Structure formats: C-alpha cells, structure tokens
Amino acid sequence: MSALRPGGEDFGARLSFDRGGPGRRAVDVPTWTGEPTPLPDAHLLRDSLRLPELSQGELVRYYTALSARNYGIDSGTYPLGSCTMKYNPKVDDLVASLPGFAAAHPQAPAEDAQGTLRTLLELRRGLAEATGLPAVSLAPAAGAQGELAGVLMITRALEDRGELERRRRILVPDSAHGTNPATAAMAGFTVTQIPTAADGSLDRATIEEELDESVAAVMVTAPNTLGLWEQGIEEVAGLIHDAGAYLYGDGANFNAIMGRVRYGDLGFDVVHLNLHKSFSTPHGGGGPGAGPVCCSEELAPYLPTPVVEECEDGVVRLTAPERSIGQLQQFHGNVGVLIRAYAYMRALGLEGLRAVSGQAVLNANYLRVLLHGYYDLPYDRPVLHEVVFSGSRQRREHGVRTYDIAKRLIDHGFHPPTVYFPLIVEEALMMEPTETEPPEAIEALAEAMIAIAEEAERDPDTLRAAPLTAPIGRLDEARAARRPVLRWQEAEAEE
Amino acid sequence: MLERVGVADLDALFADLPAAMRDPAIDLPPALTEPELIALLEERAGENADASKPNFLGAGAYRRSIPAVAAHLTSRSEFVTAYTPYQPEISQGTLQSAFEYQSVVCELTGMNVSNTGLYDVASATAEACLLATRATRRGAVALLEPIHPGTIEVVRTYTRGAGLRVDILTSVDAVSEEHACLVVQQPDFLGAIVDLEPLAEAAHASGVLLVTVADPFALGLLRSPGDAGADIVTGEGRDLAGAPAFGGPSLGLFAARTPFMRQMPGRIVGRTQELHEPPEGGEPRTGYVLTLQAREQFIRRERATSNVSTAQSLIALAFTITVQALGPRGLREAADLCYQRAHDAAARIAALPGYETPDRGPWFQEFLVRGPVRAAELSQRLRERGIGPGLDVSSRAEPEAREALLLAVTEATPDAHVDALVEALAEIGADA
C-alpha cells in the first residue's frame, strides 16, 4: 500500500494498477450469441494479462485527479520559449472532430474523402503562399520528422547531381535546436558547428570559411533561438547557393514573421513548420503535432509521399512526387492536426496572420523592457518573438541558479520559461509570451520575475527549495536515471 | 505598450527584416468568423463518404468500440493544452499518465521498457530497425512478408541516410548473419496469426533480433510477443485511441527488452521521489520525471539515438484509458468478440456459391475473399451497391491473394453491414 503522509495521500505511489479491485470494470462488452468458432491453438494465445480493474467512477476520478496535477495554456501564462505556447481556439478542436472527418478511413478511395482532401489541399496552398515556397508536403508528423524529410530531400537532390559522395557535411549554428544536428546525423551527415557572433547572428566569417565542396547544406533557424533576426540571411543564402549547397530552414519560429517576410523570398530551399506552435494546435502534453515541409520548385520532386494534388478531373488525390524520398508514415500524417491548422488559418486570413506576428513580437519586447535591468540580457537589443535572459548575475552574486528561479515562478502561478537553452547563453531563461497573452498577464509575469530577483538577494534559500505550492516538490531526477523504474510492477505494489 | 517598448508602430519592430522583401503580397482567403468557419467545415466534412454506410476496409486501420470515457477524459484541457512535461512539478498529470501508458504497453507486449510513444507504427518500426543496427553493428535489416507495404516504405525512407540494406523476405530461411533484425507483423498483412516462437529461434540462431509489429488489440487474445521471444515490439495504437481520422493522429508503440533501454528512441518517463522531505514532515512523496535523457537530441545532439521530440502524447493517453477501461477481461472479451464476428462473416461468405476465403491458417479479424468475378470487378460492383469493398490485394505475390479482396470485420462492425455485404456478394454471384 502507499505510504501516507500527514494531510494527504502519496498520490503518485498508487497507479491505476494499485486501485480498484478484482472483478470491477468500467465498460461491458457484448456477448457473441452466434455459432462460436474454436479459437486457435493454445500456444498462439495469451494465458494472462495484468491490467487494472476499476469501476468507471474510479477510473474517471483517478484521471481527473491526474489532470488537476497538470498545467496547460488554459490554466495560465506559459512563456516556454521556443515552444510558442499560445492559446488554442476551441473551434479548431470542434471542426477537426466533425464525424465526417473523424470517420474517414486512410485507405478510402479519393472520391470518398474529398472533404478531407480538399481541406488539406487548401492548407497546402495557404502554407505555400505564407512561406513563399511553392511545393509542400503535409506528411511529417512533427517538426523533427519534417527536418528529416528536408535533409533527406537534399540528400536525394545531391545524389541526382552526382555530388552526394563528396558533400558529407552539414553546417549547424551552435544556437540551433538539438533536433537539427540529430537529424543531420540520422540522415548520415557529419555536423560542423557554426559559432554565433557577438551580435547574436551567424558568424559570417566562419560560414564563408567552411563553405566548400564538402558541404551539403546549412541549417538555419530564422528567427533564431535568441529571438533575433538572422541579419543578412538573404546574402548568406546566395553564398550557400554559390557553393553548391542548400539552405535548410528550421521554421519553428515562423510565428514571429508570419505575413511579414517569406522564407522563399529570402532564398531558403526547404523549410519545415511546426503547426502546433505557429498555427496554434494544442500540444497535448507532447503531441500530436504536425511538421509540414515546404520547398522550392527545384526540390519539389523529392518531397515525401504523399502530396495533395488537384487532378485534371477536379478530384483531389494523394500522389507520390517523381523522385520522392518516400513515405514517413504508414498513412498520411496527423490529419486531425492539419484540419485544426487549416481552421486557424481561415479564421485569421492575411491581416490576422500579420496581427499575430505583430502582437507576438510586441509582447516579447514588452517583457524585455519590463525585465530590463533585473536580469542580464546577453544580446541587449530589440527582439522578435522571444527574449533570452541570463540568470548569471543571480548565480554569481547570490548562488541562485536559473533552475531555482524557474521553480520559484511556479509558486507565483506561472509555467516557467525554457531554461538552459539556447546552450550558448549561460543560465539561460528563454521567454516567449506569445500574442495571446494580454498586457496584464505579461505585467504580472514580469512582477513575479522581479519579485524573484529581489528574493534572490534577500532569501536565496527559499528559491533553492521552490516550488513550495506545487502538487509535488522538487523531484530527484538523478535517482530516476540511476535506478530506472519505468513501469508498474506487482512486487512494488506490495512494498 | 508601443510607447514603453519605444517604437511608433508595430512595423517598426520588424526593422531588422530586409526592407525589399518586407510585407509581401500573400494570397490567402479572407478571414472567417466562427459561425462561418463551422459552416464551411461542416460542409467539407459532409463531402466525405457517409460513414454510416458499410465499409470493410482494414489493412492497418480498424473500426473499434471506444469507451466514451476515453474521449471524455482525454479532452480535459489540462491534458490537451500542456506542453512536453519539462517541469515535472506541474506536469504530474502528463507524466504519471505516461507511466501508466508505458506499464500498459509492457503488459501487452511482454517487454520490459516502453517509451511514451512515437508517431505511428511504421516510423516506430523504422526506429526499431535503426536501434537493431546500432545494437548489432550490422548493415542490413530483413522484413518478412506479408507485411504492410507502408511499413516497408517507411523503413526504406528512414534507413537511407545510414546506408542500410533492406531485404524483403518471403521465408525466414533467408535470414542471415548480415541482418540486424527480422521484422514480422502480427497478425500479418493478410490477416493470419503468426507463430512467432520458431521465427524468434531462427532469428536468434543467426544473432538477429526479432522485431514484432503487433496489433495491440489482438494482443488481448494472442500470446505476447515477448513471451514468444521478440526483442522489440512496435504497433499502432490509434484504433484504440479514437477515430481513424484519415489515418492520423496515429500512435507508434515502441517497447523493448531491458538491454536496449539506453538505445531507445523517444521520451521515457521514470518513477522517482521528492528530493526533500515535505516541510510538514513525512516521507518524500512519489513522482514522475522524463528520464534517461542522455539518449535524446536536446542533450546529445548529433549523437542522439533519434531526433524525435514532439510525438503523440495525447493519443497515448486515450489509448491507455481505453485499455484500462476495458480491463483484463474486457480486452480479452472484445478481442474474442472481434474474432467470432469476423469468422462468422467469413464463413457466411465462403458458403456462397462461387466464393472462397483462401486458407492461410489461423487468423484474427481480416480475411481474403475471392469471388466469381475478378477482384477489380468485385470491388467495383460492391461500390455500386454502396459497400466499401475492402482492399484489392490482387497485385500481391502471395498465391492466396490472387484475385482477392482483403476484408476486415471487427467487434464494432454492425450486424446490418455484414448482412448487406453477404447479400450483395450473393447478388453479384448470381449475376456472374
């Protein structure tokens, strides 16, 4: 049984498996009343299965209690930098779950799925317009899969040019998301890291030095993870193309520039978008997302399968591009997420998209100004969608780490920012308020951060003990990795 | 706010962007209000085929009876609107649910370690192939037919970068010491239940890992792949989570034996406890965190086991709740009901003059039908009668698939649909 503590249950100690009782069940299954068919040989069958036995009421209370131990964007401000936690309009969920969309079988003939397919076609066209890249596949299930698709497309293009054997390197800035180098490696390339210059942009001299016949691509996040515009990227694109390489764009931060500037116009060859970020589909505690990949005409023949096309007979179909890198999933991607993104795009239109990027950037700068002086700002200049502070002063002067600041913010009712990323900023606190936070929420967030900065001077021990008001205190992450317990086990339940 | 930020207008905030390219013409349809948006998408949803009509398509996506409680609980906004649980103190709902998911997947598959889920079955299987090649340092993988063609395609896509060879086998005899793994689908693509144990023995004899691509619903009835000797198990969880939705969101199950724990792709949740005793006294409480993160891209970068970041958490939650609502007896009963209904339907079809259901040994929910006319024509005639005819598999190499349709009947297929199918087939038979 669970260890009880004064004032409450040790909730996490008892899983569903430790609750309920033998014979209880949440739902009944109809009985087969026809002629029974003998089951296959016993050696093909299972003789036992351990699963919890709960009444429906018990099951609902358990998961309801779990949900109360979670914090979502509907709970409050969630300034998790790079993750773009904006409010998700509920109508998007409603339309995605309409029975006609929900019931469509993935192998249905195109004629039977025209509603879904036409919706995907219009999303495809909208994304092409918004990015300035004419060809799009909606297949990738998330940003990282979109990255893999993009890099494999470059692989295939180089293969067709007969240059794959000599172009074995991909240049990745040191401020990049971890998925960028991981993807490059998964696709078989070696990674060369490019340092960030003092002004927060790519170090041009290093790029020029490194660009040679061994480079397949340069992966650039624009705007970058410091929330800054990659100045002169259109010129860098020219240098990359002159060297025979491709410019890959990590579009995770598209939120900042929607309607303002287009990747295609800047010279990017292929870009992935994170629709669960920029296009506001809820993140679900870690997905599902969607990571469409958008590219130039040159790379279009290599797009992953399927691509949505309107055929000459007016029917919308899924097709395989001529030199496709192939499929990324058994079927067609996270269609439910794509429908939500389409609804988001249609609700906004162009002016709405511009308003989104405008407000997102204004909000980030408002937060920057409000916190200026209280935390170090290693790149002290106007930002786009997010701003990266450093807790290094607090660490140096008061022995309080960014980790402690983040945990204390929980006690003020906020989700903490992204911490220790990008890696190039010491004690990084990466904050992205997004466009959906009202000014009062941003001011309240800033007040809490200022109160914490003051507390760091006065009472650092409290910060080191935080959070004090969360459903659970700081957890021993080292112990979890050292002695992994990764599943329910009967023996444990009897402890 | 503009004044405080020190700019005259919003456009001034974008001064770093190249002036010549700023504010381009973008052709997007005009904005819609919420009622207009709903009306438009209701119209669109209505352009899909009527879902209440009989349809016997399976081939990787099956109609299931999902307990209402799964959608209800999964739609709680604290679950829906949270990000990946980077801050465990306020993410215990997501984390403990994920630990429940890992536990359920381990019980079903007979494995010791599960991650929190990957994109879908095919990409999970491709990740299994990559794990196997890392673990064995071998340069080829083998997939045993009949296996879903989508799985083959995705394994090819994912293994291209590493330069691996992909061999498609028609017999386990062709497995060799060049292969890192043998991938076997359970039940196979044409519906048959596979006896995994001899395949595991044959694979292990050459030092080859057995990867089983299993339907988790069928595992309510079938021997767990782990018990039969599998080393890695993948599967598709979407059908137990909710509606097919044209294939996605999907959910890739991925579980393995303990020795592969530190080679796994994706997020893994571990159990731990508070660092400190609570201020009011008592023992440190139990909690859950993302763990073994030294495998992952955001720490290991180009040396990570995979580039996966966002996956399918919410679908994994729905999957978990469905399985737990059914419970050990309910899942077995539902799988048994599925088996009975499918076999009853197949027997009725086989009894019609001119029809046969080619025998490939024991099977679960999907079967082949060969009729008095060619497969393409049979398919067409069923469609004319308002019946979704299943998948035409006549182009496949297996002799049993020659001129055959692959049909699925599950516990959720209405009786009236089966009646309509049998009646239509009888009419087509009489016309032939």
Side-chain angles (χ1 to χ4, degrees):
Chain A
M1 288 301 290
S2 67
L4 289 173
R5 63 181 205 96
E9 178 197 24
D10 181 6
F11 187 84
R14 288 178 67 218
L15 294 168
S16 64
F17 290 80
D18 310 312
R19 296 166 189 262
R24 291 184 207 172
R25 54 196 301 165
V27 288
D28 290 324
V29 174
T31 309
W32 173 245
T33 53
E35 193 65 33
T37 304
L39 291 176
D41 244 30
H43 79 283
L44 295 173
L45 304 181
R46 154 191 303 283
D47 43 38
S48 70
L49 178 58
R50 295 184 306 181
L51 288 174
E53 296 182 85
L54 302 173
S55 70
Q56 193 171 115
E58 289 175 304
L59 188 71
V60 168
R61 283 188 182 160
Y62 176 61
Y63 279 99
T64 302
L66 278 176
S67 73
R69 296 160 72 79
N70 237 26
Y71 185 103
I73 187 65
D74 287 2
S75 314
T77 305
Y78 212 123
L80 196 63
S82 206
C83 301
T84 313
M85 288 297 281
K86 55 168 92 173
Y87 173 75
N88 320 117
K90 301 306 173 198
V91 66
D92 299 353
D93 295 333
L94 182 139
V95 296
S97 60
L98 288 168
F101 289 135
H105 192 284
Q107 306 260 44
E111 292 76 9
D112 287 353
Q114 284 300 291
T116 298
L117 288 168
R118 186 156 296 279
T119 304
L120 298 183
L121 178 77
E122 290 183 11
L123 175 63
R124 192 207 85 179
R125 288 177 174 160
L127 296 180
E129 273 293 319
T131 59
L133 289 162
V136 178
S137 169
L138 303 171
Q145 207 181 32
E147 286 181 35
L148 181 63
V151 174
L152 289 176
M153 287 162 65
I154 290 170
T155 305
R156 198 137 240 222
L158 289 172
E159 201 179 305
D160 284 359
R161 281 165 42 182
E163 297 177 30
L164 183 59
E165 278 178 28
R166 77 163 182 269
R167 295 193 182 266
R168 300 311 309 158
R169 287 198 302 149
I170 290 186
L171 312 186
V172 181
D174 56 5
S175 61
H177 296 111
T179 49
N180 290 186
T183 299
M186 232 173 145
F189 292 95
T190 57
V191 174
T192 302
Q193 192 164 291
I194 302 295
T196 298
D199 66 355
S201 56
L202 277 172
D203 186 58
R204 181 84 66 97
T206 312
I207 294 249
E208 286 178 27
E209 200 178 290
E210 292 288 346
L211 269 178
D212 59 24
E213 293 205 333
S214 69
V215 174
V218 183
M219 295 180 88
V220 173
T221 306
N224 67 23
T225 60
L226 295 165
L228 302 175
W229 183 244
E230 204 53 77
Q231 300 209 46
I233 187 65
E234 65 279 15
E235 292 152 27
V236 174
L239 296 176
I240 291 168
H241 294 152
D242 289 347
Y246 294 94
L247 175 55
Y248 182 93
D250 180 330
N253 298 334
F254 187 47
N255 193 46
I257 54 166
M258 292 193 297
R260 309 269 167 186
V261 71
R262 309 197 299 175
Y263 291 117
D265 299 342
L266 293 159
F268 284 84
D269 298 289
V270 52
V271 170
H272 83 268
L273 303 177
N274 301 64
L275 295 185
H276 47 289
K277 297 180 181 177
S278 301
F279 280 61
S280 192
T281 70
H283 201 273
V293 59
C294 314
C295 71
S296 63
E297 293 288 2
E298 184 199 341
L299 291 178
Y302 307 102
L303 277 170
T305 300
V307 167
V308 199
E309 299 276 9
E310 184 163 29
C311 301
E312 282 179 8
D313 58 2
V315 177
V316 186
R317 292 193 175 83
L318 296 173
T319 62
E322 194 188 336
R323 288 279 296 148
S324 174
I325 59 162
Q327 284 175 234
L328 297 166
Q329 291 162 69
Q330 193 165 73
F331 297 125
H332 325 306
N334 282 338
V335 175
V337 176
L338 298 170
I339 293 173
R340 284 174 174 82
Y342 175 75
Y344 183 76
M345 184 181 85
R346 290 303 311 267
L348 290 173
L350 176 58
E351 282 316 303
L353 276 187
R354 287 172 48 88
V356 161
S357 54
Q359 193 65 42
V361 170
L362 179 60
N363 284 356
N365 280 290
Y366 190 44
L367 185 62
R368 175 180 61 84
V369 169
L370 292 176
L371 288 179
H372 202 271
Y374 295 95
Y375 292 92
D376 289 348
L377 198 52
Y379 300 91
D380 189 1
R381 47 178 276 209
V383 293
L384 289 173
H385 62 295
E386 64 195 352
V387 52
V388 182
F389 291 97
S390 165
S392 51
R393 189 197 322 168
Q394 283 74 18
R395 174 156 195 179
R396 193 174 59 243
E397 294 177 6
H398 312 296
V400 165
R401 295 173 308 153
T402 274
Y403 188 84
D404 304 316
I405 294 165
K407 297 302 181 195
R408 189 59 172 151
L409 200 55
I410 292 172
D411 289 328
H412 287 265
F414 296 95
H415 193 284
T418 294
V419 291
Y420 299 103
F421 184 82
L423 306 176
I424 54 171
V425 173
E426 199 182 307
E427 299 290 321
L429 285 153
M430 183 194 213
M431 306 189 79
E432 180 178 16
T434 82
E435 74 280 3
T436 58
E437 291 306 309
E440 298 78 20
I442 297 168
E443 287 154 11
L445 172 64
E447 281 163 24
M449 288 291 291
I450 292 166
I452 292 169
E454 287 164 357
E455 196 173 36
E457 298 173 20
R458 204 178 61 239
D459 182 12
D461 285 344
T462 298
L463 264 69
R464 289 187 207 108
L468 304 174
T469 60
I472 198 158
R474 279 191 199 192
L475 290 163
D476 190 344
E477 301 189 31
R479 174 193 165 107
R482 204 171 52 241
R483 294 180 39 200
V485 179
L486 309 177
R487 59 176 293 197
W488 171 81
Q489 272 159 343
E490 204 148 29
E492 268 200 12
E494 287 159 8
E495 269 176 13
Chain B
M1 279 172 82
L2 284 168
E3 195 181 325
R4 186 72 203 266
V5 169
V7 291
D9 55 31
L10 281 183
D11 289 346
L13 293 165
F14 295 91
D16 281 352
L17 273 46
M21 296 172 188
R22 226 181 296 158
D23 302 332
I26 296 178
D27 183 17
L28 289 179
L32 298 178
T33 62
E34 184 164 313
E36 291 168 325
L37 186 62
I38 293 172
L40 171 72
L41 284 156
E42 278 179 341
E43 191 185 320
R44 283 285 169 70
E47 289 163 12
N48 283 349
D50 182 353
S52 65
K53 294 253 180 74
N55 195 319
F56 295 90
L57 269 175
Y62 306 92
R63 188 199 291 250
R64 298 270 169 249
S65 300
I66 307 294
V69 69
H72 171 82
L73 289 171
T74 308
S75 66
R76 292 190 67 86
S77 90
E78 298 88 342
F79 287 131
V80 176
T81 72
Y83 202 78
T84 302
Y86 293 133
Q87 294 290 337
E89 295 84 359
I90 49 172
S91 308
Q92 286 298 297
T94 294
L95 288 160
Q96 192 168 330
S97 301
F99 192 84
E100 294 275 359
Y101 166 83
Q102 291 173 184
S103 302
V104 162
V105 170
C106 286
E107 294 297 333
L108 285 172
T109 58
M111 294 287 106
N112 312 107
V113 192
S114 164
N115 65 18
T116 62
L118 298 174
Y119 307 131
D120 85 322
V121 59
S123 55
T125 306
E127 291 273 14
C129 290
L130 294 177
L131 188 162
T133 53
R134 286 194 299 271
T136 61
R137 299 178 183 278
R138 295 182 180 182
V141 297
L143 283 67
L144 186 64
E145 291 278 22
I147 189 165
H148 197 290
T151 304
I152 298 176
E153 284 302 310
V154 178
V155 168
R156 287 194 197 282
T157 305
Y158 266 70
T159 53
R160 183 170 291 129
L164 304 176
R165 197 179 80 223
V166 179
D167 293 338
I168 309 302
L169 312 185
T170 53
S171 160
V172 70
D173 297 340
V175 80
S176 80
E177 288 176 3
E178 292 180 4
H179 295 127
C181 61
L182 173 68
V183 181
V184 180
Q185 186 175 328
Q186 170 77 308
D188 73 24
F189 182 63
L190 299 178
I193 297 169
V194 178
D195 190 356
L196 292 170
E197 193 166 343
L199 300 178
E201 283 166 6
H204 292 160
S206 300
V208 176
L209 303 180
L210 181 67
V211 176
T212 303
V213 185
D215 176 350
F217 179 77
L219 292 181
L221 185 65
L222 302 182
R223 184 180 184 188
S224 85
D227 191 43
D231 300 287
I232 302 172
V233 181
T234 63
E236 178 54 60
R238 176 197 52 243
D239 300 332
L240 282 171
F246 208 51
S250 45
L251 167 64
L253 275 54
F254 190 108
R257 295 193 184 281
T258 306
F260 306 114
M261 178 173 74
R262 290 177 199 277
Q263 284 291 327
M264 300 262 293
R267 313 278 186 190
I268 296 177
V269 171
R271 184 179 220 169
T272 187
Q273 61 185 41
E274 288 174 311
L275 274 170
H276 311 293
E277 288 170 6
E280 64 271 36
E283 295 292 311
R285 291 168 294 183
T286 309
Y288 298 86
V289 294
L290 293 173
T291 194
L292 303 176
Q293 298 188 85
R295 304 165 295 114
E296 292 189 64
Q297 45 79 23
F298 69 98
I299 292 179
R300 194 54 69 86
R301 296 176 82 85
E302 63 267 30
R303 287 180 302 281
T305 56
S306 168
N307 70 345
V308 168
S309 180
T310 287
Q312 311 284 125
S313 292
L314 198 67
I315 313 305
L317 175 66
F319 172 91
T320 307
I321 295 170
T322 294
V323 172
Q324 295 189 342
L326 285 165
R329 290 179 307 144
L331 189 63
R332 168 79 184 217
E333 288 165 7
D336 187 65
L337 179 65
C338 176
Y339 178 89
Q340 295 296 341
R341 292 176 56 83
H343 282 73
D344 184 68
R348 289 172 66 187
I349 293 167
L352 295 172
Y355 287 89
E356 57 175 327
T357 53
D359 182 17
R360 298 186 60 252
W363 56 280
F364 181 59
Q365 65 187 347
E366 211 159 15
F367 55 100
L368 296 164
V369 170
R370 197 179 292 144
V373 295
R374 303 193 66 171
E377 190 179 340
L378 185 59
S379 184
Q380 182 55 35
R381 294 211 192 164
L382 283 168
R383 282 182 67 76
E384 285 163 7
R385 287 169 167 78
I387 291 172
L391 192 69
D392 184 344
V393 291
S394 53
S395 63
R396 290 188 62 89
E398 294 87 357
E400 298 91 345
R402 185 175 47 81
E403 291 306 331
L405 300 181
L406 180 66
L407 273 66
V409 171
T410 75
E411 83 287 3
T413 311
D415 282 330
H417 290 191
V418 176
D419 293 344
L421 171 68
V422 173
E423 194 179 319
L425 289 172
E427 283 173 22
I428 296 165
D431 290 350

